[in-house]
Amino acid sequence: MVLVLPRSAFAHTPKTGGTWLRNAIKEACIPSWEEGETHSRIWEVSLPGPRFLFASVRHPLRWYQSMWAFGMRTEWNVIGERYRRCWSDDFCTFVWRFLEKNSGTVSRLYRTYTHNNTLDFVCRQERLAEDLIAALERAGEIFDPDTIRAFRSKRINDSMLDPALRAKCIYTPELRKAVLETEQWALHAFGYGNDLSEFCPKEDTVASVSDL
């Protein structure tokens, strides 16, 4: 659903921190209501007048990790059919299967939810609290930024909290390269580029020789 605020509206891109963001807005006591169906795009709902429009994204490498962990945590029961068809309890097997059938999925997903990156603002999950504050301030919403900063430590609906699943979400160098090659649009459209040290450190995502 699209979250509608007094002066803005937020489109919840799947697996990009949207649940935390919604709860942070509630914590900040900003009036809001929802329009549309689950994960509706902004242009699919009727908004009551002009609004500052924003959405959220996350690094594609992190997105695949989150999607696989979510599938494992929910036993693949509440996830889309195209993900279930690629099911594996091995992270790399799942991603390889998915890339074979759905190359560039994250970029297409982000194009859809950000309307080809033409919204007023896009929050990055890696710095979600500060980006949300920036979006709300630009929109002219009335709120206390410190309330959102204090809420930053709350982890909500985060599949990566499970240490056992997190330990399994490790890319081989070949798979990491394949994902980066297929998601170039998302990487560059939202400022990730090819320098991953800030958003996706190699030690967090790539298996060493001894791990393989």
Coordinates of all heavy atoms in Angstrom, one line a residue, residues 16 55-59 121-132 187 189-193 198-199:
T16 N 13.0 -3.4 1.2 CA 13.9 -2.2 1.3 C 13.8 -1.4 2.5 O 14.1 -0.2 2.5 CB 13.7 -1.3 0.0 OG1 12.3 -0.8 0.1 CG2 13.9 -2.1 -1.3
A55 N 10.2 6.9 -2.1 CA 10.2 5.5 -2.0 C 11.5 5.1 -1.4 O 12.3 5.9 -1.0 CB 10.0 4.8 -3.4
S56 N 11.8 3.8 -1.3 CA 13.1 3.3 -0.8 C 13.7 2.2 -1.6 O 13.0 1.5 -2.3 CB 12.9 2.8 0.7 OG 11.9 1.7 0.7
V57 N 15.0 2.1 -1.6 CA 15.7 1.0 -2.3 C 16.8 0.5 -1.3 O 17.0 1.0 -0.2 CB 16.4 1.5 -3.6 CG1 15.3 2.0 -4.5 CG2 17.4 2.6 -3.3
R58 N 17.5 -0.6 -1.7 CA 18.7 -1.0 -1.0 C 19.6 -1.6 -2.0 O 19.3 -1.9 -3.2 CB 18.3 -2.1 0.1 CG 18.1 -3.5 -0.4 CD 17.5 -4.4 0.6 NE 18.3 -4.5 1.8 CZ 17.8 -5.0 2.9 NH1 16.6 -5.6 3.0 NH2 18.5 -5.1 4.0
H59 N 20.9 -1.8 -1.6 CA 21.9 -2.3 -2.5 C 21.4 -3.7 -3.1 O 20.9 -4.5 -2.3 CB 23.2 -2.5 -1.8 CG 24.4 -2.7 -2.8 ND1 24.5 -3.9 -3.5 CD2 25.4 -1.9 -3.2 CE1 25.6 -3.7 -4.3 NE2 26.1 -2.5 -4.1
F121 N 12.1 11.9 -4.1 CA 13.2 11.5 -3.2 C 13.2 10.0 -3.2 O 12.1 9.4 -3.2 CB 13.1 12.1 -1.8 CG 14.3 12.0 -1.0 CD1 15.3 13.0 -1.0 CD2 14.5 10.9 -0.1 CE1 16.4 12.9 -0.2 CE2 15.6 10.8 0.7 CZ 16.6 11.8 0.6
V122 N 14.4 9.4 -3.0 CA 14.5 7.9 -2.8 C 15.4 7.7 -1.6 O 16.6 8.1 -1.6 CB 15.1 7.2 -4.1 CG1 15.2 5.7 -3.8 CG2 14.1 7.4 -5.3
C123 N 14.9 7.0 -0.6 CA 15.7 6.7 0.6 C 16.5 5.4 0.3 O 16.0 4.5 -0.3 CB 14.8 6.4 1.8 SG 13.7 7.8 2.2
R124 N 17.7 5.4 0.8 CA 18.5 4.1 0.7 C 18.4 3.4 2.1 O 18.7 4.0 3.1 CB 19.9 4.4 0.3 CG 20.0 4.9 -1.2 CD 21.4 4.9 -1.7 NE 22.2 6.0 -1.1 CZ 23.3 6.5 -1.6 NH1 23.8 5.9 -2.7 NH2 24.0 7.5 -1.1
Q125 N 18.2 2.1 2.0 CA 18.0 1.4 3.3 C 19.2 1.4 4.1 O 19.1 1.4 5.4 CB 17.7 -0.1 2.9 CG 17.3 -1.0 4.1 CD 18.5 -1.7 4.7 OE1 19.6 -1.7 4.0 NE2 18.4 -2.3 5.8
E126 N 20.4 1.6 3.5 CA 21.6 1.6 4.3 C 21.8 2.8 5.2 O 22.6 2.8 6.1 CB 22.8 1.5 3.3 CG 22.9 0.2 2.6 CD 22.0 0.1 1.3 OE1 21.4 1.1 1.0 OE2 21.9 -1.0 0.7
R127 N 21.0 3.8 4.9 CA 21.0 5.0 5.8 C 19.6 5.5 5.9 O 19.3 6.7 5.8 CB 22.0 6.1 5.3 CG 21.7 6.5 3.8 CD 22.8 7.5 3.3 NE 22.4 8.1 2.1 CZ 23.2 8.7 1.3 NH1 24.5 8.7 1.5 NH2 22.8 9.3 0.2
L128 N 18.7 4.6 6.3 CA 17.3 4.9 6.1 C 16.8 6.0 7.1 O 15.9 6.8 6.7 CB 16.5 3.6 6.4 CG 15.0 3.5 6.0 CD1 14.9 3.9 4.5 CD2 14.5 2.1 6.2
A129 N 17.3 6.0 8.3 CA 16.8 7.0 9.2 C 17.1 8.4 8.7 O 16.2 9.3 8.7 CB 17.4 6.8 10.6
E130 N 18.3 8.7 8.3 CA 18.7 10.0 7.9 C 18.0 10.4 6.6 O 17.6 11.5 6.3 CB 20.2 10.1 7.8 CG 20.9 10.1 9.1 CD 20.4 11.2 10.1 OE1 20.2 12.3 9.6 OE2 20.3 10.9 11.3
D131 N 17.9 9.4 5.7 CA 17.2 9.7 4.4 C 15.7 9.9 4.6 O 15.2 10.8 3.9 CB 17.4 8.5 3.4 CG 18.7 8.6 2.7 OD1 19.5 9.5 3.0 OD2 19.0 7.7 1.8
L132 N 15.1 9.2 5.5 CA 13.7 9.5 5.8 C 13.5 10.9 6.4 O 12.6 11.6 6.0 CB 13.2 8.4 6.8 CG 11.8 8.7 7.3 CD1 10.8 8.8 6.2 CD2 11.4 7.6 8.4
L187 N 22.4 0.2 -9.5 CA 23.6 0.6 -8.8 C 23.9 2.1 -9.1 O 24.2 2.8 -8.2 CB 24.8 -0.3 -9.3 CG 24.8 -1.7 -8.8 CD1 25.9 -2.5 -9.5 CD2 24.9 -1.8 -7.3
A189 N 21.7 4.4 -10.8 CA 20.6 5.3 -10.6 C 20.5 5.8 -9.2 O 20.1 6.9 -8.9 CB 19.3 4.6 -11.0
F190 N 20.9 5.0 -8.2 CA 20.7 5.4 -6.8 C 22.0 5.6 -6.1 O 22.1 5.5 -4.8 CB 19.8 4.3 -6.1 CG 18.5 4.2 -6.8 CD1 18.2 3.1 -7.5 CD2 17.6 5.3 -6.8 CE1 17.0 3.0 -8.2 CE2 16.4 5.2 -7.5 CZ 16.1 4.0 -8.2
G191 N 23.1 5.8 -6.8 CA 24.3 6.3 -6.2 C 25.2 5.2 -5.6 O 26.1 5.5 -4.8
Y192 N 25.0 3.9 -5.9 CA 25.8 2.9 -5.3 C 27.1 2.8 -6.1 O 28.2 2.5 -5.6 CB 25.1 1.6 -5.3 CG 23.9 1.5 -4.3 CD1 22.6 1.4 -4.8 CD2 24.2 1.6 -3.0 CE1 21.6 1.4 -3.9 CE2 23.1 1.5 -2.1 CZ 21.8 1.4 -2.5 OH 20.8 1.4 -1.6
G193 N 27.0 2.9 -7.5 CA 28.2 2.8 -8.3 C 28.9 1.5 -8.1 O 28.3 0.5 -7.8
E198 N 31.2 1.3 1.1 CA 30.4 1.9 2.1 C 29.1 1.1 2.3 O 28.6 1.0 3.4 CB 30.0 3.3 1.6 CG 29.0 4.1 2.5 CD 28.7 5.4 2.0 OE1 29.2 5.8 0.9 OE2 27.9 6.1 2.7
F199 N 28.5 0.6 1.3 CA 27.2 0.0 1.3 C 27.2 -1.5 1.5 O 26.3 -2.1 2.0 CB 26.3 0.4 0.1 CG 26.2 1.8 0.0 CD1 26.9 2.6 -0.9 CD2 25.3 2.5 0.8 CE1 26.8 3.9 -1.1 CE2 25.1 3.9 0.7 CZ 25.9 4.6 -0.3

